[in-house]
Amino acid sequence: MNYPNQKRVETFSIEINGQSCRAISGETVVDVARREGIEIPTLCHDTRLEPAGACRVCLVEVEGQRRLQPGCAWKVQPDMKVTTESTRIEKHRTILYSMYMSDHQLDESGLPVETGNGNQLRELCKTIDPLPLEPVNAPRAGRPEDVNPYIEFNPELCILCARCTRYCDEVEAVNAITLSNRGGETTIATAGNRGLLDTTCELCGGCIATCPTGALIEKKAPTNLVTLETEVTRSTCNFCGVGCQLDLHVHNDRVVKVTSPEPGETVNDGNLCVKGRFAYDFIHHEDRITTPLIRGADGELRPASWEEALEATANGLMAVKARHGADSLGFISSSRCTGEENYLMQKLSRAVFGTNNIHQCAAT
Amino acid sequence: MQKPNANREKIIELLEHAGGVTEDSVREVHEQTGIPEADIWGTGLFYTLLREPGQRIRLCDGLTCQMFGADSLAMELTEAGKAVERVSCLGQCDLAPASLDEAMELVTYAKHKTAISPPNELAMNLAGEVDLTYSALKKVKEMSPEDVIAALESSGLQGRGGAGFPAHFKWTSLRQQAETERYVICNADEAEPGTFKDRELILRQAHKMLEGLAIAAHVIEAKEIYIYIRGEYTNEYRAIERALEDSKAALQEFEFTIVKGHGAYICGEETALLESLEGKRGMPRLKPPYPTESGFRGKPSLIHNVETIACVPSIIHRGGDWFRSLGKTEAGSKLYCISGHVVAPGVYELPLGVSLDELVAAAGGYVGNPIAFSPGGASSGFLPIAERGLPLDYKHLADAGSMLGSAGVVVINDTVDMAKAAAWQLEFFERESCGQCAPCRIGTQYIRRQVDQFIQLGDPVTLAMTADVGWEMEEGSICGLGMVAAKPLESARKHFPDAFKTRD
Amino acid sequence: MFGAGAMTNSIEEIRDSELMFVIGSNTTEAHPIIAMEMKRARQRGAKLIVADPRKIWLADMADLHLQLKPGTDVWLLSAMANVIIAEGLHDREFIEANTDGFDAMAEKVADYTPEKAEEVTGVPADDIRIAARLYATTKHAGIYYTLGITEHTHGTDNVYCLANLVLMTGHLGVRSAGMNPLRGQNNVQGANDAGATPIFYPGYQSVTDSKVREKFENAWGVPLSPDNGLNLNVMMKEMAVGNLKAVYVMGEDIVISEPNVTKVEEGLNRCEFVVCQEIFHNETTRFADVILPGACFAEKDGVFTNSDRRVQRVRKSVNPPGEAREDWKILCDVARSAGYPMPEYEDAGEVFSEYASLTPKIAGISHERLEESISGLQWPCPDETHPGTPTLHIDGPMIGRAPFQAVDYRPSAELPDNDYPLVLSTGRTLYHYNSATQTRRDAGPVAKQRNNFIEMHRSDARKLELKHGENVRVMSRRGEVEAEVWVSPRMRPGCIWMPMHFSESRANLLTNDAGDQVTGTGEYKVCAVRVEKMSNSKTVG
C-alpha cells in the first residue's frame, strides 16, 4: 500500500535554461518550470491526471538524453539540466503545430477554430509560421446521433490528447468514453457508439472542461459564445454541501454558462457535477415567482405590492402573537439561503417576534 | 478506474471467444469481468482481428506479397465472390503471396517451400534434431546466477528483436530489483514485414525457446512466464502448445501462459505488448520506467525476443566465448530471413555480419537485376544494391543510416517501382500506428497521402514537406514505430532519386 | 461533535487518506465532488470500507462492503469498538490525555460481540473484525458519514458510536483522519452557524445561558426569550395539534421534505397564518397566505458555509426577475414593518459584520477578507490575522476533554411486520436536488430520471411478480404513492429505496415522523411499507 503522507520529500536544485530552480523529488519538469514562471507549452497535461506525454507539445532537451523528452512526464533528478528553448525545439514545435493544423478544422484566418470553449492549439499556432501542409482528412468518427442535452463532440477539433477519456476514468471514474479504433481512425467513443444518456456517463461535463481545443462543447451554451460579451462572476454552488466554486458567465443579465475555476485553486479542484455545471436553467425559468402574492378572501392568490405584502406579513404574525403568544409562531429558515439571511431570520424570530422557535432542516 | 475485483487481463481473449466486438459481446464481457463497457469497446476496436466480426479471407499486403501480385490475387478472389480483407504482413514473405482463410488457417500461393540452412553447428541449428533433455536448464541449476549472467555477457548476445541491446544488462537489472514479483515474457509477436524467423524457430526448435525462458525465470527468480504470440500464427501457437505438453516434466516448476495477439503490429513494441497483456489498447508506454523496473502489472519484467532467448541454452552448453566466435563482425550466429527476388527464400542461420551477397548465395542467388534491398524489415528503409558487400550487422547498418532490425531481408529487382515500394511500406506504418501521439498518427497519414499523390500525379512538389514531417516523426514520436515510419520514403528518395522525378 | 457538527478535517485532505470508512453516505450521488477526492485516494492506494444497506457505487470500489440491515448501525459500530478494545488496538495514551468515560463505554460494548452483531446486522462477524482492525491500525483513517447515520430515531446514538471509534483510536487532530459529516445542503452548516436553531444563538451560543443572552439583548436592543425553542420536527407536530398557529417558511418545501407530510399538511391547514418566501411555487406555497418572491443564489450577495467549515462568497451576477428581491432585504423589511428598527444595512457584507461581531468562531471573517482568499476561510477564525482552521484539534492537545458515550441499541421506531413487510429508506439521487424545483427544470436530470421510482431486490420483485419498469403502489401506515419499480442489484432483500424528489409522488407521504430525541431529525431511513402491483399496470421502459 502506498502511504502518500509518509513519502520522504527531498528537495534539490535543477537547471532550466541555465537558471537554477528548486525542485522536489517526484515532480516533473513542467511542475518545476510552471512554478518558476518558465513557460513550457502543453496540451494533454492536466494536473489531476497521470501524465500521458501524448501530445508531444512539451518536449524539451534533457542533458544526457539523445531524444527530446516530454516535460510533463519527465521526473526531475538532482542537478539535471533542461533546455526549453533552442533551434531544435523551435523546429520541433513549428512542424508539430503545423501537423496538428493539417488534422484540424481551421477558420478563415487559417487558424484552428475557436468554439467559445477555448482552443489552446489555436494560441500555440499563433506563435509559429506554419508549414503549408495539406489536410490529412483523418477518418475520425463522431457521434452525431447523440441526443444528450449537454455534451457535444466535434471530431474535427479533436487532437486525441485523451484528456477527456482519462478524466472520465481517473477523476470521475465512470468510464463512459474511451479512445477507440487505431491510427488515423482513432476517436473518442462510447460503447456501441451509443448516446451518452445510454452509458454510465453522469453528465458532469468534466470532459468539456478539460478539453484543450473545444472539440467538446456545451450544447446549452449559445452558439455565438465566441463573439458574445460576457461578464464572469465567481460564486458558490447552491446545491450540496461541498461548496464548489463556480464562475457564472453572464450576458445581458442572463447566466449563459457555468464553469469551474482552474484546478488547484478552490475546494472543487476544477471539478463540477451535473447539477453545478448544467442545472442553471431554473434561474431564468418562466415559473419564477416575480411579484408578491396575497391570498384573498376568495382563497385565490392575487398579485400585491411590496408595501401591501410586507404589511400583511407583519400584521398577520403580530396578530397571532397577540392572540396566542410568541411561542405560537414558528420560523423555518433555509439551509439554501445565505449565512446573512439565516442570521437575519433568527434575529427576526428572536428579536422581533420574541421566540426561539427557529429552525431549518438541520439534519439534511 | 478499475474495481478491485475486475479482471481486465481477460477481456481480449473473451472478446475473441465472443466472435469480436459487437454491442452484445461487449456487454457480455462487461458482465463477466466488471470492466466498464466503454473500455472493452475501445480496447477491442484497437485490434484488427477483433474489429469486424464475420468471416473473410485475410490477404497480406506486405512488401513481398505486393511484389508477387497480392493486388491481382485480391481481385481474383473478390471476383470469385469471396470476402477479402487486406491485412498487414502475415510473416509468410518467403511464400508470398500469403493469406489466412476464413478459419484463420494459412494459405500460401508460392510454388516453392521455405528453405532453411542444413544441419549445422550453429546456435539455432533449425534443421537439427530436437533436444528434449533440458540439460542446459539442469546445468544452470548447478550454477550461480552470476555465472549464468557472466556467460551471457561473454557471449556478446544482443537482442535479436531489433534493438540489439546486450541481453545480460536486462538480467542483471532484474536481479537488482527490490520487488520480488517478477515476470519473464517472450515476445513472439513477429510482424515486421519481411520477417519470419521466429516462425521457423517455433515450428522447428520451440524447446530452445522454452528452455531459454525457463533458464531466465530461474536466474531472475520468476515463476510465471508469458509467451505473447501474434494471433495470425495459428500453426505456431499449436507448436508451442505441443512443445509445452512434451516438456511438462522438465518445466513443471514454471507457469507458462501463451497469450495471443489480435492483429496489431505495435504490440511487438515491448511496452505496447505489456499493455496488451494487461488487456488494454496496445499503446506504448513512456520510458522510463523501463520494463526491467516496472513492466507487466507494474512489476519487473524480463522481455526477450524468441530468437534471443533461444540462443541461451547453447550458450550455457558451449560457453559464451564459443557463441561469440560464431559471429563474423559481431557476436554469434543469426537467423536471416530472405525473401523477394532470390531463388530460394527462407531462413538462413549464418555468422552475424555476412554480406547481402553471401546471404543471397546461400539462398541460391538473385532473380533478375537487383537494384535495392531492405535489410531489416520495413523499419530499416531501403539500401541500394551497391551496398551488397556491407556486413549485415547492428553497427555497419546503423552507420549506413539503416538497421539490422529483425534481419528480414527483402531483395528488390528492377521490375519494381521504388516509389511504389516506399508507398507500400508507408501504408503499413499508417495502418499500424497506434494513434497515441500526433507526430506518428498525423505523420504516417500525411506522408502516405503525399506519396500516393506523387504516384498519381507525378509531381514532386507533393513531396516538398515530407522531409520536415519525417524529421518531426523521428524527433517527436513516443516509440520506435513513429521514429522510423518515414524511413522508407526518406531512404528511397536518397538512394533512388530518379524514381521521384517528375513523371508524365 | 468535538465542538460542533462539522467536518473535523478538510475535503482536500481526503486525497491523502490511507483508509476511508464511509458509512451512511452515498457520496458519489449526494456529494459528487467529495466522492472525486475519495476516488483519487483510492487511485493512490487508499483502502476503502463502505457500510451501507445498499450496494452503492462506492461499495463496488471498496475493499470491504458491510451491507448492514437498515437501522442497525449501533450494533455494527459497537461491535467494531468491541473488537478494537478486545484486541488492544485502542490508543491508550490519547484516551488518557483527552477523554472521559472510556471504562463505562468499554463495559457497554463488551456485550456487542461480532457474532451477536452478525445476527442483528447481517454483516459477517469476520468482516466486522477486519474493518475494526483496519480502521484502528491505520493512521490516516477518516470517517465520512451523512444522513444514513443521522436520519434515524437513534441518529444521535449512531453519531456517538462513531465518535467513540474516533476517540478510542486517536484519529483526531491527524491529517486525512477525523470525523466528517458531509452536510447535505449548500449552507446547512452556515444556517446552523448563524443560529437558525432553537437552542443556539449564532456560533452555538446557548439561548439559556444568561450571559450570552445579555450580549444579544444589548446588541439587538430588546429582551429575548430565555427558553429553548422547538425544533422543526416538534414544530410540525405542534402545528398538527394546533399549538403552533403561524409559520414563516423561507426557502423550504416542508410538504415535501418533512416526514409523514400528511400530518404537515393537516398542520398547515390548521394554521391561522402562513408566510412563504420562495423562488418557485411548490407544495408548501399552496398553504400560504402571503408569498414573498425571493432571489436565487445567482441574484444576491452573501456567504455559504460548506461541510468543511469553509465560508465562501456568493456573489450577485444577475438581477432577480420582476419584483423579486434579495431575501436579506425582504427580512429586514418585514422586521421594520413589524416595528423593529432593523439597521439600514448597505449590503450583505454589513449584515455579516454584525453577525461576526457577535460570534467568536467567525469573528475574523469579513466580506473584505473573503475577497482576498480565493478558497474561502475555514472557521474557527477568531480574529482578522487568523488564517482559518483546515483541520480541527491539529495543534497539540485538544481543548477540553471529549466524553465517550455508552450507547444501548434501540430498534427503529417502526419495523416491518406482516402488513407492511418491507423496509423503506429514502434519499437523494445525483440528478435531482431536494424538492427538485430547480433540477426538474433542466433537461439532463429529467432525461436521466423523469419519474419517481423504487429500487428493489430481484427476490422481492419475483415474490410480488413485478417486472422492471412496472408501476406499483407503495403504502405505509401514513400514506401511499405510485412509482416505477427498478429491479436493482444494489438492494438487500426485504429493503426498498425511494428518492425524495418527486412532488407528484412524495416519498415523505410514507415516512415516519418519529424524531431523534436530541435533534428532532425524522426517521427518513427506516419505515415499514407494502408494495402492490397496480391493478391495471402498464409496463414502462
Side-chain angles (χ1 to χ4, degrees):
Chain A
M1 190 163 141
N2 182 15
Y3 296 103
N5 283 302
Q6 294 164 358
K7 265 189 205 149
R8 204 156 48 95
V9 175
E10 272 180 84
T11 65
F12 45 78
S13 67
I14 68 168
E15 221 173 75
I16 303 180
N17 301 337
Q19 174 186 336
S20 175
C21 308
R22 199 178 63 86
I24 303 167
S25 60
E27 283 188 315
T28 65
V29 170
V30 163
D31 291 337
V32 176
R34 295 250 156 111
R35 193 173 52 236
E36 297 282 335
I38 298 164
E39 178 55 30
I40 299 177
T42 59
L43 287 173
C44 71
H45 181 62
D46 183 320
T47 53
R48 296 165 295 181
L49 306 174
E50 289 295 316
C55 74
R56 312 309 280 172
V57 162
C58 70
L59 296 188
V60 295
E61 292 177 37
V62 178
E63 196 182 64
Q65 292 292 321
R66 189 175 52 83
R67 305 202 68 211
L68 297 174
Q69 297 294 348
C72 72
W74 196 266
K75 293 276 197 293
V76 291
Q77 296 291 337
D79 302 321
M80 71 188 285
K81 292 190 172 71
V82 176
T83 306
T84 71
E85 301 294 335
S86 68
T87 47
R88 184 182 176 196
I89 291 171
E90 198 182 314
K91 181 175 179 187
H92 149 69
R93 287 179 188 159
T94 301
I95 306 174
L96 180 62
Y97 299 172
S98 304
M99 289 168 74
Y100 271 120
M101 288 168 74
S102 76
D103 188 31
H104 207 85
Q105 191 179 336
L106 308 177
D107 64 13
E108 309 78 49
S109 69
L111 284 168
V113 163
E114 169 61 72
T115 58
N117 203 33
N119 189 339
Q120 293 165 31
L121 179 62
R122 179 185 173 91
E123 300 313 308
L124 293 181
C125 290
K126 286 178 182 167
T127 66
I128 58 154
D129 190 9
L131 308 182
L133 301 185
E134 288 186 47
V136 298
N137 299 320
R140 264 194 301 280
R143 289 190 307 282
E145 311 292 308
D146 189 343
V147 298
N148 88 79
Y150 296 149
I151 300 166
E152 186 166 313
F153 171 56
N154 174 1
E156 299 306 313
L157 291 178
C158 178
I159 57 164
L160 278 316
C161 67
R163 273 167 73 163
C164 55
T165 57
R166 288 181 288 134
Y167 183 90
C168 196
D169 173 23
E170 296 173 33
V171 180
E172 175 73 355
V174 299
N175 300 71
I177 51 174
T178 175
L179 282 177
S180 183
N181 299 353
R182 195 172 76 201
E185 293 179 357
T186 311
T187 190
I188 308 299
T190 59
N193 291 319
R194 297 196 293 264
L196 287 173
L197 290 177
D198 299 320
T199 68
T200 48
C201 174
E202 294 182 346
L203 301 173
C204 76
C207 51
I208 298 174
T210 193
C211 178
T213 58
L216 285 156
I217 54 166
E218 293 184 18
K219 288 185 180 174
K220 277 180 83 158
T223 47
N224 59 343
L225 202 59
V226 190
T227 50
L228 216 56
E229 264 184 45
T230 53
E231 265 186 52
V232 176
T233 309
R234 176 71 51 89
S235 196
T236 303
C237 180
N238 84 138
F239 289 108
C240 80
V242 179
C244 294
Q245 295 298 286
L246 308 172
D247 284 333
L248 302 173
H249 300 246
V250 175
H251 171 75
N252 202 11
D253 208 26
R254 287 181 78 86
V255 176
V256 292
K257 183 173 163 176
V258 174
T259 56
S260 166
E262 288 297 305
E265 281 188 3
T266 62
V267 68
N268 42 318
D269 198 20
N271 305 309
L272 288 174
C273 76
V274 54
K275 298 187 291 290
R277 190 185 305 279
F278 291 120
Y280 56 81
D281 280 2
F282 76 90
I283 299 172
H284 306 293
H285 201 278
E286 58 181 13
D287 294 347
R288 284 287 300 272
I289 307 173
T290 56
T291 171
L293 298 163
I294 295 178
R295 199 173 296 279
D298 57 354
E300 295 299 312
L301 288 169
R302 61 166 178 83
S305 71
W306 271 107
E307 288 71 21
E308 260 185 292
L310 290 167
E311 205 177 284
T313 302
N315 290 346
L317 293 170
M318 286 193 297
V320 173
K321 181 181 172 181
R323 285 198 291 276
H324 308 289
D327 287 340
S328 67
L329 304 179
F331 290 80
I332 301 167
S333 192
S334 176
S335 46
R336 316 297 314 285
C337 289
T338 65
E340 292 83 349
E341 285 155 358
N342 276 283
Y343 171 79
L344 290 172
M345 187 68 163
Q346 60 91 36
K347 188 173 173 185
L348 186 72
S349 163
R350 292 179 164 127
V352 181
F353 291 100
T355 178
N356 283 321
N357 290 346
I358 162 79
H359 209 189
Q360 28 79 42
C361 48
T364 55
Chain B
M1 198 176 293
Q2 197 166 328
K3 292 175 189 170
N5 301 318
N7 189 352
R8 180 134 197 180
E9 284 169 19
K10 280 271 163 272
I11 65 170
I12 298 174
E13 194 188 328
L14 289 170
L15 276 177
E16 185 197 322
H17 291 319
V21 176
T22 62
E23 273 203 75
D24 288 341
S25 70
V26 165
R27 189 172 303 118
E28 203 177 294
V29 174
H30 161 68
E31 279 158 14
Q32 285 166 319
T33 60
I35 298 299
E37 283 188 72
D39 290 357
I40 299 168
W41 177 268
T43 301
L45 290 182
F46 185 85
Y47 296 97
T48 310
L49 295 182
L50 299 175
R51 202 158 54 199
E52 280 164 51
Q55 302 216 315
R56 58 197 169 280
I57 293 172
R58 293 182 163 89
L59 178 63
C60 178
D61 69 358
L63 174 65
T64 324
C65 286
Q66 290 284 32
M67 282 162 49
F68 288 87
D71 279 348
S72 47
L73 179 59
M75 254 190 309
E76 275 171 42
L77 289 168
T78 313
E79 275 165 18
K82 308 270 190 185
V84 178
E85 181 189 11
R86 300 304 299 275
V87 295
S88 298
C89 181
L90 290 171
Q92 310 291 343
C93 320
D94 51 338
L95 304 171
S99 67
L100 295 174
D101 70 9
E102 288 88 343
M104 293 291 287
E105 297 293 341
L106 181 66
V107 178
T108 56
Y109 293 85
K111 303 259 177 331
H112 54 265
K113 285 188 171 167
T114 298
I116 56 161
S117 305
N120 54 45
E121 286 295 300
L122 300 171
M124 288 301 104
N125 191 14
L126 290 181
E129 270 182 37
V130 172
D131 177 6
L132 269 163
T133 62
Y134 282 78
S135 50
L137 176 61
K138 285 176 195 144
K139 189 172 171 190
V140 161
K141 288 179 181 169
E142 308 293 313
M143 296 165 69
S144 73
E146 289 72 25
D147 287 346
V148 177
I149 292 175
L152 269 192
E153 185 172 0
S154 68
S155 76
L157 177 63
Q158 294 163 279
R160 297 307 200 218
F165 191 71
H168 74 274
F169 279 136
K170 288 191 188 175
W171 294 41
T172 307
S173 168
L174 252 295
R175 285 193 54 84
Q176 286 166 349
Q177 299 300 318
E179 172 64 57
T180 54
E181 184 185 335
R182 302 166 184 173
Y183 295 95
V184 172
I185 293 159
C186 182
N187 184 348
D189 194 46
E190 182 172 69
E192 179 77 32
T195 310
F196 42 88
K197 62 184 180 63
D198 295 343
R199 182 194 83 197
E200 288 305 309
L201 212 169
I202 290 167
L203 290 175
R204 294 166 192 275
Q205 292 288 359
H207 291 287
K208 290 200 168 165
M209 170 185 78
L210 297 182
E211 190 171 17
L213 291 168
I215 290 169
H218 174 79
V219 170
I220 69 156
E221 294 167 45
K223 191 170 180 306
E224 290 182 50
I225 298 167
Y226 284 80
I227 301 170
Y228 187 95
I229 182 168
R230 67 179 303 189
E232 295 86 346
Y233 273 5
T234 314
N235 295 326
E236 294 73 10
Y237 182 89
R238 292 185 200 121
I240 299 174
E241 278 189 323
R242 267 197 310 277
L244 281 172
E245 194 59 39
D246 294 343
S247 57
K248 245 186 184 163
L251 298 175
Q252 58 183 351
E253 71 214 80
F254 304 101
E255 208 176 288
F256 277 86
T257 309
I258 319 175
V259 177
K260 260 199 252 175
H262 289 87
Y265 161 76
I266 190 60
C267 292
E269 199 279 342
E270 58 180 5
T271 58
L273 185 154
L274 293 171
E275 291 286 295
S276 186
L277 270 186
E278 292 178 5
K280 299 175 186 158
R281 296 164 56 80
M283 304 196 300
R285 299 175 181 173
L286 300 176
K287 291 190 265 194
Y290 292 92
T292 47
E293 305 154 38
S294 172
F296 183 45
R297 299 175 179 159
K299 306 296 180 185
S301 305
L302 180 70
I303 308 177
H304 275 308
N305 169 258
V306 174
E307 186 187 351
T308 319
I309 203 75
C311 288
V312 172
S314 356
I315 291 170
I316 297 300
H317 277 308
R318 309 179 69 168
D321 294 339
W322 165 81
F323 182 83
R324 181 183 287 272
S325 70
L326 295 179
K328 193 171 177 190
T329 56
E330 289 176 0
S333 57
K334 175 83 189 82
L335 296 180
Y336 288 97
C337 320
I338 185 149
S339 66
H341 294 127
V342 297
V343 173
V347 181
Y348 296 90
E349 184 171 14
L350 294 167
L352 184 47
V354 294
S355 68
L356 179 71
D357 276 351
E358 288 170 290
L359 172 59
V360 173
Y366 294 100
V367 171
N369 177 30
I371 55 166
F373 67 107
S374 175
S379 306
S380 66
F382 300 102
L383 285 173
I385 199 68
E387 300 281 13
R388 61 208 295 166
L390 190 70
L392 301 175
D393 66 12
Y394 295 101
K395 181 175 182 304
H396 286 88
L397 284 168
D399 290 348
S402 180
M403 62 200 257
L404 178 62
S406 50
V409 184
V410 182
V411 175
I412 298 168
N413 70 18
D414 60 5
T415 61
V416 176
D417 172 0
M418 284 309 291
K420 269 200 169 151
W424 289 330
Q425 301 289 53
L426 295 175
E427 197 178 332
F428 168 77
F429 285 123
E430 182 190 11
R431 185 189 293 149
E432 296 301 331
S433 166
C434 81
Q436 179 180 205
C437 71
C440 175
R441 183 184 69 247
I442 302 173
T444 52
Q445 292 177 80
Y446 178 80
I447 290 191
R448 193 269 311 149
R449 192 181 179 281
Q450 299 307 109
V451 172
D452 276 358
Q453 275 197 6
F454 168 74
I455 290 169
Q456 265 174 28
L457 308 172
D459 185 353
V461 85
T462 59
L463 302 176
M465 294 293 150
T466 55
D468 280 327
V469 170
W471 181 91
E472 174 58 21
M473 289 165 72
E474 185 171 354
E475 283 278 351
S477 294
I478 290 177
C479 81
L481 190 156
M483 284 160 64
V484 301
K487 259 271 159 27
L489 177 65
E490 183 199 315
S491 57
R493 285 181 80 190
K494 179 174 165 196
H495 299 300
F496 306 94
D498 289 350
F500 295 91
K501 286 193 174 139
T502 307
R503 298 179 175 189
D504 300 324
Chain C
M1 200 45 52
F2 323 126
M7 288 174 73
T8 57
N9 292 57
S10 286
I11 291 166
E12 67 186 33
E13 293 172 34
I14 297 173
R15 66 184 69 158
D16 295 325
S17 301
E18 291 165 23
L19 171 71
M20 296 166 288
F21 180 29
V22 179
I23 179 165
S25 164
N26 185 6
T27 322
T28 58
E29 298 208 44
H31 299 89
I33 305 302
I34 286 180
M36 282 186 186
E37 292 290 347
M38 292 178 174
K39 293 168 186 171
R40 169 148 37 180
R42 193 80 184 79
Q43 186 106 320
R44 291 179 176 194
K47 301 261 182 206
L48 173 64
I49 301 172
V50 172
D52 201 292
R54 286 202 297 164
K55 198 169 188 303
I56 52 174
W57 192 94
L58 275 182
D60 275 354
M61 301 299 289
D63 297 281
L64 198 57
H65 177 210
L66 312 174
Q67 197 169 10
L68 76 171
K69 292 178 190 160
T72 63
D73 309 74
V74 167
W75 260 102
L76 176 71
L77 299 171
S78 297
M80 283 176 68
N82 174 302
V83 172
I84 290 169
I85 295 167
E87 299 189 4
L89 303 175
H90 49 298
D91 184 342
R92 290 184 184 80
E93 211 175 300
F94 181 90
I95 294 167
E96 183 71 22
N98 300 301
T99 68
D100 291 320
F102 177 77
D103 293 340
M105 181 275 303
E107 203 175 305
K108 182 67 76 182
V109 301
D111 295 336
Y112 289 75
T113 64
E115 276 68 25
K116 282 194 237 167
E118 176 172 341
E119 282 171 32
V120 181
T121 63
V123 178
D126 282 344
D127 284 358
I128 298 175
R129 288 202 172 85
I130 294 169
R133 287 174 195 145
L134 211 51
Y135 175 69
T137 57
T138 307
K139 185 174 182 207
H140 299 282
I143 291 178
Y144 303 89
Y145 70 93
T146 313
L147 307 173
I149 282 293
T150 52
E151 286 182 350
H152 293 277
T153 44
H154 47 266
T156 304
D157 291 343
N158 290 344
V159 174
Y160 286 153
C161 286
L162 287 172
N164 288 344
L165 287 175
V166 174
L167 291 174
M168 75 178 66
T169 53
H171 281 137
L172 203 57
V174 176
R175 267 184 67 83
S176 311
M179 168 111 165
N180 301 289
L182 312 179
R183 308 311 300 259
Q185 299 176 88
N186 55 327
N187 198 34
V188 66
Q189 189 67 54
N192 278 300
D193 296 349
T197 146
I199 56 173
F200 294 126
Y201 295 120
Y204 307 95
Q205 305 176 77
S206 173
V207 297
T208 56
D209 180 328
S210 56
K211 260 207 183 128
V212 169
R213 191 166 59 249
E214 206 173 302
K215 175 170 88 174
F216 281 93
E217 285 175 338
N218 287 338
W220 295 342
V222 288
L224 297 172
S225 164
D227 307 321
N228 281 335
L230 307 177
N231 66 40
L232 184 55
N233 189 272
V234 177
M235 275 196 240
M236 292 301 104
K237 288 172 179 159
E238 291 295 303
M239 190 167 77
V241 298
N243 291 335
L244 198 74
K245 306 250 181 225
V247 283
Y248 187 147
V249 187
M250 172 172 78
E252 190 153 336
D253 193 357
I254 51 177
V255 180
I256 285 205
S257 62
E258 289 306 299
N260 191 7
V261 289
T262 309
K263 244 190 208 172
V264 177
E265 289 189 353
E266 278 169 30
L268 285 169
N269 271 327
R270 293 189 69 160
C271 271
E272 293 177 14
F273 190 63
V274 176
V275 185
C276 285
Q277 188 167 318
E278 259 307 340
I279 61 172
F280 286 110
H281 285 287
N282 58 27
E283 296 302 304
T284 309
T285 57
R286 290 190 287 123
F287 299 86
D289 295 291
V290 181
I291 299 175
L292 306 171
C296 78
F297 83 110
E299 297 154 355
K300 59 194 180 187
D301 286 301
V303 300
F304 290 159
T305 307
N306 77 345
S307 292
D308 68 359
R309 299 166 279 105
R310 193 183 301 265
V311 182
Q312 302 186 110
R313 276 300 311 276
V314 180
R315 292 185 182 85
K316 178 170 176 168
S317 59
V318 292
N319 287 302
E323 291 179 53
R325 285 190 190 172
E326 287 97 315
D327 298 82
W328 65 270
K329 290 184 178 165
I330 300 173
L331 293 168
C332 291
D333 286 342
V334 170
R336 288 180 199 116
S337 297
Y340 179 82
M342 201 63 111
E344 294 290 338
Y345 305 109
E346 275 286 317
D347 52 32
E350 285 193 7
V351 181
F352 190 88
S353 297
E354 177 182 314
Y355 161 31
S357 72
L358 294 164
T359 312
K361 266 187 171 40
I362 59 158
I365 303 178
S366 63
H367 278 212
E368 288 72 27
R369 260 193 94 182
L370 289 172
E371 289 301 315
E372 310 291 311
S373 29
I374 194 159
S375 57
L377 285 166
Q378 286 167 278
W379 62 251
C381 179
D383 63 64
E384 279 157 34
T385 57
H386 194 283
T389 311
T391 312
L392 293 179
H393 312 294
I394 199 154
D395 299 317
M398 287 172 59
I399 302 151
R401 294 175 72 80
F404 280 100
Q405 303 281 349
V407 173
D408 282 309
Y409 169 70
R410 287 177 291 123
S412 305
E414 185 183 54
L415 295 173
D417 54 24
N418 285 339
D419 293 338
Y420 298 93
L422 296 167
V423 175
L424 168 72
S425 301
T426 64
R428 295 193 178 107
T429 74
L430 171 65
Y431 297 101
H432 290 294
Y433 203 74
N434 287 9
S435 56
T437 52
Q438 298 176 350
T439 48
R440 289 186 92 185
R441 290 184 164 92
D442 224 287
V446 171
K448 279 285 189 178
Q449 291 169 352
R450 181 177 295 277
N451 299 316
N452 199 9
F453 60 91
I454 58 171
E455 291 184 0
M456 178 183 263
H457 191 267
R458 62 176 187 284
S459 64
D460 292 322
R462 215 178 293 135
K463 247 182 266 169
L464 294 164
E465 296 175 354
L466 299 172
K467 283 201 250 353
H468 185 91
E470 192 169 339
N471 281 344
V472 292
R473 194 176 287 121
V474 186
M475 291 175 283
S476 78
R477 289 187 174 80
R478 292 156 294 278
E480 66 172 70
V481 301
E482 289 173 20
E484 284 175 23
V485 172
W486 292 10
V487 178
S488 166
R490 312 210 298 186
M491 298 310 297
R492 282 182 66 93
C495 300
I496 65 169
W497 186 90
M498 180 188 282
M500 60 168 291
H501 306 303
F502 297 90
S503 58
E504 70 281 8
S505 168
R506 286 174 283 161
N508 284 321
L509 283 165
L510 305 170
T511 49
N512 189 353
D513 57 348
D516 180 86
Q517 311 250 313
V518 178
T519 62
T521 302
E523 192 144 58
Y524 295 92
K525 298 304 183 197
V526 179
C527 73
V529 295
R530 175 168 85 221
V531 173
E532 278 183 6
K533 218 177 169 68
M534 303 275 283
S535 45
N536 54 347
S537 78
K538 60 175 195 298
T539 304
V540 183

